[in-house]
Amino acid sequence: MIRLTGLTKRFGATPVLNGIDLTIEQGERVVVIGPSGTGKSTLLRCINFLDRPEAGTIQVGDLTVDAAHASRAQILGLRRRTAFVFQNYALFANKTARQNITEALVTVQRRPRAEAEARADAILAETGLTEKADSFPAALSGGQQQRVGIGRAMALDADLMLFDEPTSALDPEWVGEVLDLMRRVAERRQTMLIVTHEMQFAREIADRVIFMDGGRIVEQGPPAQIFEAPQDERTRSFLRRVTR
Amino acid sequence: MLGLVPILLGYLPLTLFMAVLSMACALVLASLLAMERVARIPVLDGIVVLFISFFRGTPLLVQLFLFYYGLPQVMPFLTNMTGVQAAIIGLTLHFSAYMAESIRAAIIGVDRSQWEAAEAVGMTRTQMMGRIVLPQAARVAAPTLVNYFIDMIKSTSLAFTLGVTEMMGATQKEAAGSFLYFEAFIVVALIYWAIVEALSFAQKRLEFSLNRAFTR
Ligand SMILES: Nc1ncnc2c1ncn2[C@@H]1O[C@H](COP(=O)(O)OP(=O)(O)OP(=O)(O)O)[C@@H](O)[C@H]1O
Ligand SMILES: [Mg+2]
C-alpha cells in the first residue's frame, strides 16, 4: 500500500504541493490529471525524492518516511521500492537497450548478471524490442526509447510505478505503441500512479482519477464519475478545455 | 648531427616516464577535484577552488622551483626529494588544476535527466558517477585531455632546471660539450615535434571512434 499524508513542497517562496493526502491500494491504477503547473510532476518526484518535500510522510510498502527528516538510507529505500518513467525517456546514453534494463538489476539489486540478462531479454521480447537489444538510445525512435524506459521500470518489480506524462514528448505516430505497453502493464495489476493528458487512456485503465489544481487534490473518483459527472467547477472547466 | 639522435633518444624513456606517471596521477587528482566542484562539499569546496586558482595562476617553472628548492627549507623531511620526484609532483598538481576544469565541464554536460534516472532506480552517488556520468564525461573530455598530455610531454623539459638529465638536460650537456648549439637544439626540437605529431594523429583517431560511440 502507498500512503501520502500532508505532503508539502515549495520552490523558494512558491508553494507547489499544499498538503497532499493520498492512499493507493496494492494493484490500483491511479491517473492524475490537471492544468499545467499545478504540481502533478512535483507530486510524483516528491514520492521518490527527486524533489525533496518539506513536510509530510510517505509510505511505500513496509517503509514509512518522515519527509522532513528523511535519511539518505530512507531515500534510497523509497527509490528502490518505486520505479519512474520520465517524459523525456532519460535513458542512459552510454548503455544499450538491454544494458539500460540490466543496469539497476545488477548494480542496485545485486542480482547475478545471467539472471538480469534473462529478465532483460524477456522484457525486450514483451516490449517488441528484441531486435534493438544491442542498440544505443541514440539509434532508437522516440517510441522505442520510451518502451525501453518503461521496460527499465518494469524490470525493477517496484511496489509502485510512477509515470510522468510518458507520451507527451512523443511524435503522434509513436503514442499508440507506448500506451499499448502501459495497458499491458496495467493489466497485470501493477500499482501505478500516472500523470497523463491522454483522457481516453485514463478512462480505459484507471481505477481512480485524481484532478489536481493549485497543488491540491480537488476531486477524485472512478473515471466514469470524474469524466461524466465532475462535481467541482474547476474540474468541469478543465475537462471542457481538454476534451472539446 | 644525426649522431645526436640516438644519444638524445636514450633519454626519451625518462621523459616519457615522467610524462606518463604525472598524467596518470593528474587524471586521478583532476577527477576527484572535478567531482568535488560538482558536488560542492562545504569548506572543501573553498580549498579546492583555491588550489585550482593557485596552480593555474602561477607559472609551472615557479611551482617547480618552489617544490624543489623552496619547500625543503621549511619542511626538512623533503630534503631527500629527487629532481624527478619534484618534477612529477609539480607536473601532477599543475596539470590537475587545468584538467579538473575540463572534466568538470564534461560532467556538467551530461544530461541532467540521466542523473535523475540513475537516482530514480536507486543508485548511490558513487554508482551514478561511476556507471553513468563519468563514462559519458570521459568521452567528451578525452580529446582535451590528450591536448594536456601533449603539453605535459613538452613541459617535462623544465625538469632540467631541477638538475634532471632528461632529453632537454642531455641536449644542454651535449651542446655545451661540443659547442654545436644549433644542431643540438634543432635535433631535440624535432624529436619533441615528432612525438607530438604521433600523439595528434592518435588523437584524431580517438576522436573519430569516440564520435561513433553510443550511436549504433
Ligand atoms: N525546479 C523548480 N524550481 C522552481 N520552480 C519549479 C521547479 N519545478 C517546478 N516548479 C514550479 O512548480 C509548479 C508545479 O510544477 P509541476 O512541474 O509539478 O507542474 P505540472 O502539474 O507537472 O505541470 P505540467 O502539466 O506542465 O507538466 C510550477 O509552477 C513550476 O513552475
Ligand atoms: Mg509535469
Side-chain angles (χ1 to χ4, degrees):
Chain A
M1 193 183 64
I2 319 298
R3 189 198 298 274
L4 312 177
T5 54
L7 199 64
T8 303
K9 169 72 187 169
R10 60 181 88 74
F11 285 112
T14 323
V16 178
L17 297 179
N18 296 301
I20 300 280
D21 297 311
L22 176 64
T23 303
I24 304 174
E25 298 302 332
Q26 169 132 25
E28 201 181 2
R29 293 142 308 186
V30 178
V31 167
V32 181
I33 60 172
S36 187
T38 49
K40 305 181 299 294
S41 297
T42 307
L43 171 63
L44 263 51
R45 293 166 55 85
C46 279
I47 294 175
N48 72 353
F49 272 75
L50 287 181
D51 288 330
R52 197 184 176 100
E54 273 89 41
T57 63
I58 302 168
Q59 181 190 346
V60 178
D62 57 352
L63 175 68
T64 305
V65 175
D66 174 4
H69 306 104
S71 69
R72 195 179 280 247
Q74 285 178 319
I75 292 172
L76 275 184
L78 285 175
R79 289 175 177 167
R80 288 173 183 179
R81 285 168 176 75
T82 55
F84 203 102
V85 176
F86 294 83
Q87 181 171 347
N88 60 359
Y89 336 127
L91 297 184
F92 304 131
N94 60 329
K95 308 271 172 195
T96 63
R98 184 194 279 110
Q99 290 167 341
N100 262 276
I101 298 173
T102 56
E103 181 59 33
L105 301 184
V106 175
T107 57
V108 178
Q109 300 186 351
R110 304 244 171 253
R111 294 203 225 172
R113 181 160 290 281
E115 184 189 319
E117 279 175 2
R119 179 96 170 99
D121 287 337
I123 285 177
L124 286 166
E126 202 177 340
T127 53
L129 289 166
T130 302
E131 256 104 85
K132 298 291 178 187
D134 297 318
S135 297
F136 286 94
L140 299 176
S141 74
Q144 290 167 339
Q145 288 189 59
Q146 191 57 299
R147 277 145 65 200
V148 175
I150 294 172
R152 175 174 69 182
M154 287 163 69
L156 298 172
D157 293 318
D159 291 339
L160 172 66
M161 272 177 88
L162 301 159
F163 294 77
D164 190 9
E165 298 197 35
T167 58
S168 294
L170 291 173
D171 286 339
E173 56 182 318
W174 309 125
V175 171
E177 64 189 43
V178 169
L179 291 181
D180 283 343
L181 178 56
M182 288 174 66
R183 256 181 222 109
R184 213 122 22 89
V185 176
E187 275 161 18
R188 276 188 219 150
R189 306 215 61 88
Q190 160 75 47
T191 315
M192 299 162 91
L193 182 58
I194 304 167
V195 175
T196 185
H197 291 298
E198 298 286 338
M199 297 301 157
Q200 184 53 40
F201 173 77
R203 228 181 261 244
E204 276 172 49
I205 67 114
D207 299 302
R208 180 163 36 134
V209 175
I210 291 179
F211 175 71
M212 267 182 80
D213 195 12
R216 287 196 173 76
I217 294 176
V218 171
E219 183 169 358
Q220 54 180 312
Q225 178 193 319
I226 298 294
F227 289 118
E228 315 305 338
Q231 302 299 303
D232 196 281
E233 174 49 35
R234 283 168 289 177
T235 318
R236 282 199 287 271
S237 81
F238 172 74
L239 288 172
R240 264 199 306 278
R241 264 184 289 133
V242 296
T243 55
R244 100 193 95 106
Chain B
M1 175 167 144
L2 284 178
L4 270 175
V5 175
I7 298 175
L8 296 186
L9 282 180
Y11 294 89
L12 181 60
L14 179 58
T15 290
L16 291 182
F17 168 76
M18 288 194 293
V20 170
L21 189 57
S22 305
M23 186 69 189
C25 298
L27 264 179
V28 173
L29 182 55
S31 303
L32 294 174
L33 293 171
M35 282 192 278
E36 191 296 317
R37 288 293 290 128
V38 172
R40 301 221 176 145
I41 302 160
V43 185
L44 191 58
D45 195 47
I47 298 170
V48 169
V49 168
L50 200 66
F51 175 93
I52 292 176
S53 170
F54 177 80
F55 283 100
R56 291 178 59 169
T58 53
L60 176 56
L61 187 59
V62 173
Q63 293 164 17
L64 291 176
F65 277 31
L66 184 65
F67 286 123
Y68 189 61
Y69 299 113
L71 277 189
Q73 288 193 340
V74 287
M75 298 179 185
F77 66 93
L78 290 176
T79 318
N80 292 327
M81 181 167 57
T82 66
V84 172
Q85 289 166 346
I88 289 171
I89 294 170
L91 289 168
T92 296
L93 298 182
H94 183 80
F95 278 87
S96 69
Y98 280 94
M99 285 159 47
E101 289 297 298
S102 323
I103 296 175
R104 183 177 80 106
I107 290 175
I108 292 175
V110 175
D111 181 14
R112 195 70 224 167
S113 70
Q114 290 185 51
W115 299 58
E116 293 193 337
E119 289 181 323
V121 297
M123 286 191 197
T124 61
R125 232 190 134 74
T126 316
Q127 290 170 337
M128 170 174 75
M129 291 312 273
R131 313 247 347 141
I132 307 300
V133 178
L134 288 182
Q136 293 182 62
R139 182 188 144 199
V140 174
T144 319
L145 297 179
V146 177
N147 277 343
Y148 283 123
F149 184 53
I150 287 173
D151 211 2
M152 179 91 88
I153 290 178
K154 292 185 287 182
S155 299
T156 55
S157 61
L158 290 177
F160 106 92
T161 62
L162 309 184
V164 178
T165 310
E166 39 63 71
M167 237 170 21
M168 181 62 193
T171 310
Q172 175 80 359
K173 282 183 186 152
E174 290 295 327
S178 63
F179 295 106
L180 297 173
Y181 285 97
F182 178 76
E183 282 83 350
F185 289 120
I186 195 75
V187 166
V188 79
L190 291 174
I191 292 175
Y192 280 115
W193 192 12
I195 298 167
V196 170
E197 278 303 302
L199 274 171
S200 301
F201 178 74
Q203 184 183 28
K204 290 214 180 64
R205 299 291 299 267
L206 174 74
E207 240 172 291
F208 181 72
S209 64
L210 286 177
N211 282 338
R212 280 187 323 176
F214 314 148
T215 56
R216 81 181 128 81

